Amino acid sequence: MRQYHHDPDGLRLPIKIDNASNGEFAPLPLPDRCRLGNEQALLDADEAARKLGQDRRSFLVGACGAASTLLSLNAVNAAAGNTGGFFDVSEEARFEPASAQAAVGGDEFIFDVHGHFINPQGAWRDAVPEGARPFFGMPKVQSCATPEMEGLDYLECLSGEQFVKDVFVDSDTDMMVLTFVPSPADAEPLKIEEAEVTKRLLNQEGTETRLLVHGRVNPNQAGDLEAMDELAERWNVAAWKTYTQWGPEGVGFWLDDEDTGIPFLEKARSLGIKNIAVHKGIPFGQRSYEHSRSDDIGRVARRYPDLNFLVYHSGFVPGKAEAAFEEGAGKDGVDALVQSLLDNDVGPNENVYADLGSTWRMWMQDPDSAAHGMGKLLKYVGQDRVVWGTDSIWYGSPQDQIQAFRTFQISEELRERFGYPEMTAALRTKVFGLNAVKPYGIDVAAMAKAHVSDNLSVTRHAAQQAADPHFLTFGPKSRREFLAFRRAEGDL
């Protein structure tokens, strides 16, 4: 019997439905339906493994394990009346590897526009109180840390090397954009110089575009507008990342504020880097809450048709279920984005893009919200403007998000009632990567040719021959862990 280093008893599921946060919002209680779905998935995996003459861990690391988990989640969701969306997997995929691979496997070009990690050796550690152990309670750290690790050495469990393994070795991701969190310039948990180290690690000869990097700009913070020149010229950033809800005095801004947002957009235009990645949704509590909304997106998209506005999280608000869009004032979440586009005559497939980072991960828990949320984005933002993002590393390897999206379908009833599109293979392929290549200027054919035999492909192929994924999520799962995370980032 094969020995596994990770989870040898098969207690972790390949599709990770839990309450992990990306660190930007306090973890939410896991719905009973999801808890029951996880329990049923383990029971079903036991039975299927016995029928196939396998131990449970061997079963779960294969395609049948992922397919079986999705089938179990379908059954529990349907029993609870959550039928607006579902994972389109055949029953035989639980036992037949070819059927399972046809469902959860694929060869799409996957371009993830939304990645994060921390620098375990960064200067931010200097602000950690004596005796404090930030991130130590996280499952990945618990499985990685050893008695020989002293002080804060266990943070290596969340390193850039771990990011590379989870994203590029243990998932089907081809390219990623590394982005940043809001912070004062002197307390960044990941600096552009440190991000460049990982970029060079990945972008070796023959892999020049495995990883792109954002430049963090908050125009309401002294010095950030001036720093854009160096970000463009020295670091060759692919886009600007900003957080309109954040401010050094606790007050955010609008992208069309004449003293902050407009100078930022004008300078981005003058520097020739015209991708504006803006965090919308996932509010940072009630502080300057209005600036977390997407009201300004339509206004600036109409005013600056030559700029691309990539709306990170698509305006999604955790804990608020998605429903069909109804036009009217005071919208929040995805509806606020839709309303802003309608109010400003910005049609589908223009210069606004909707990113799925954390959003899809949360929607995996609630197929009805997923159906309405995805349906609205595809209908109003456009089938050519919804882009793939996972917010990994905080959710561990994004492979489960990829597998779930490959199988997700909006029910025929909702498609007919609300004009949502069917989730076809061609549409998923657009979302997975082809939609993002336009703003980022990627030549997919050239990338595919370069990636066929590069070092990363060789490493990934070797790892697949003896697959042993950890199936862990890293982000905080309790309020205590969340507060420790925010302290480590200098926000508390």
Side-chain angles (χ1 to χ4, degrees):
M1 182 180 297
R2 181 178 162 191
Q3 297 297 310
Y4 292 95
H5 174 67
H6 298 295
D7 188 31
D9 296 325
L11 300 177
R12 304 176 197 145
L13 293 167
I15 307 297
K16 306 186 290 286
I17 304 295
D18 64 20
N19 66 337
S21 160
N22 70 345
E24 293 175 337
F25 63 96
L28 301 172
L30 192 66
D32 288 343
R33 171 177 44 77
C34 295
R35 179 179 53 79
L36 292 172
N38 286 336
E39 293 173 357
Q40 187 62 52
L42 283 173
L43 292 173
D44 291 341
D46 265 336
E47 181 179 355
R50 282 196 299 269
K51 287 184 177 180
L52 293 172
Q54 296 178 328
D55 63 272
R56 189 165 66 185
R57 172 64 176 172
S58 296
F59 174 76
L60 288 173
V61 300
C64 288
S68 177
T69 303
L70 292 169
L71 284 166
S72 300
L73 295 172
N74 273 347
V76 173
N77 286 330
N82 199 310
T83 57
F86 59 95
F87 304 110
D88 193 5
V89 181
S90 64
E91 286 294 332
E92 58 264 26
R94 200 188 299 272
F95 305 102
E96 297 180 5
S99 295
Q101 185 61 28
V104 303
D107 60 358
E108 312 92 344
F109 171 70
I110 298 182
F111 180 15
D112 188 334
V113 302
H114 197 159
H116 287 282
F117 70 90
I118 66 168
N119 175 20
Q121 302 298 330
W124 66 271
R125 287 174 42 153
D126 295 340
V128 174
E130 185 176 354
R133 295 171 72 75
F135 310 114
F136 189 75
M138 295 182 183
K140 176 64 180 72
V141 173
Q142 292 295 307
S143 71
C144 161
T146 63
E148 302 85 59
M149 290 184 173
E150 298 179 357
L152 299 180
D153 289 349
Y154 64 86
L155 290 169
E156 293 297 335
C157 300
L158 304 174
S159 65
E161 287 77 7
Q162 184 67 49
F163 167 83
V164 171
K165 183 180 188 304
D166 282 348
V167 171
F168 290 103
V169 177
D170 286 346
S171 91
D172 294 334
T173 302
D174 294 294
M175 288 185 61
M176 191 175 231
V177 181
L178 183 62
T179 192
F180 295 87
V181 299
S183 63
D186 60 353
E188 293 178 290
L190 181 68
K191 294 182 177 294
I192 188 70
E193 296 90 345
E194 297 159 351
E196 185 70 13
V197 173
T198 300
K199 180 180 176 182
R200 290 176 180 173
L201 174 69
L202 277 165
N203 295 359
Q204 298 172 6
E205 184 177 356
T207 60
E208 284 79 5
T209 52
R210 284 289 191 178
L211 189 68
L212 304 179
V213 174
H214 280 168
R216 183 200 55 75
V217 181
N218 268 81
N220 55 349
Q221 177 170 233
D224 271 25
L225 288 177
E226 293 77 8
M228 290 175 68
D229 295 279
E230 182 180 12
L231 289 171
E233 296 166 10
R234 179 181 178 186
W235 301 111
N236 192 30
V237 299
W240 311 105
K241 179 66 178 293
T242 194
Y243 290 75
T244 54
Q245 191 184 3
W246 189 86
E249 304 299 327
V251 179
F253 67 99
W254 295 113
L255 287 171
D256 55 350
D257 282 348
E258 293 295 336
D259 60 341
T260 50
I262 294 303
F264 164 50
L265 299 180
E266 291 286 350
K267 186 150 191 178
R269 172 191 267 173
S270 70
L271 290 171
I273 300 173
K274 298 183 177 182
N275 293 330
I276 312 298
V278 53
H279 175 111
K280 288 291 187 180
I282 306 193
F284 307 150
Q286 292 303 309
R287 182 180 61 185
S288 206
Y289 185 97
E290 67 274 15
H291 294 109
S292 73
R293 292 161 44 96
S294 301
D295 304 43
D296 52 345
I297 295 297
R299 301 195 299 259
V300 292
R302 182 177 61 181
R303 183 168 174 175
Y304 291 93
D306 59 323
L307 300 184
N308 300 309
F309 295 92
L310 295 95
V311 183
Y312 272 47
H313 310 296
S314 300
F316 167 72
V317 176
K320 292 189 177 182
E322 294 291 338
F325 175 75
E326 295 181 4
E327 191 163 354
K331 296 296 182 184
D332 203 352
V334 172
D335 284 354
L337 173 59
V338 172
Q339 189 68 60
S340 181
L341 299 181
L342 294 175
D343 287 347
N344 292 280
D345 297 320
V346 178
N349 302 320
E350 294 193 22
N351 62 329
V352 174
Y353 294 75
D355 152 72
L356 297 177
S358 277
T359 300
W360 168 246
R361 208 297 174 141
M362 295 293 290
W363 282 345
M364 284 166 58
Q365 300 180 10
D366 183 2
D368 278 3
S369 282
H372 283 295
M374 286 300 308
K376 288 184 291 189
L377 293 177
L378 292 165
K379 178 179 180 179
Y380 293 102
V381 182
Q383 296 186 31
D384 297 332
R385 294 295 183 268
V386 179
V387 295
W388 184 246
T390 64
D391 230 344
S392 294
I393 189 175
W394 300 120
Y395 303 119
S397 171
Q399 184 67 1
D400 64 326
Q401 295 189 51
I402 294 169
Q403 292 172 323
F405 191 74
R406 279 173 172 154
T407 68
F408 181 71
Q409 186 57 266
I410 302 170
S411 71
E412 185 175 358
E413 176 191 358
L414 293 190
R415 298 200 307 264
E416 291 179 353
R417 285 180 63 191
F418 302 113
Y420 301 153
E422 179 181 4
M423 299 294 296
T424 64
L427 178 52
R428 293 192 191 99
T429 298
K430 286 184 178 183
V431 174
F432 269 137
L434 298 186
N435 287 346
V437 302
K438 180 178 180 180
Y440 280 105
I442 303 301
D443 183 333
V444 176
M447 290 306 97
K449 184 177 180 180
H451 293 170
V452 166
S453 58
D454 69 7
N455 293 339
L456 195 55
S457 291
V458 173
T459 301
R460 178 187 290 177
H461 179 74
Q464 289 173 343
Q465 304 314 301
D468 189 16
H470 53 67
F471 296 152
L472 287 169
T473 52
F474 302 167
K477 295 182 175 64
S478 68
R479 182 167 179 78
R480 181 178 180 180
E481 289 182 356
F482 171 72
L483 293 175
F485 180 95
R486 300 312 298 175
R487 290 189 193 97
E489 290 195 326
D491 281 0
L492 293 175

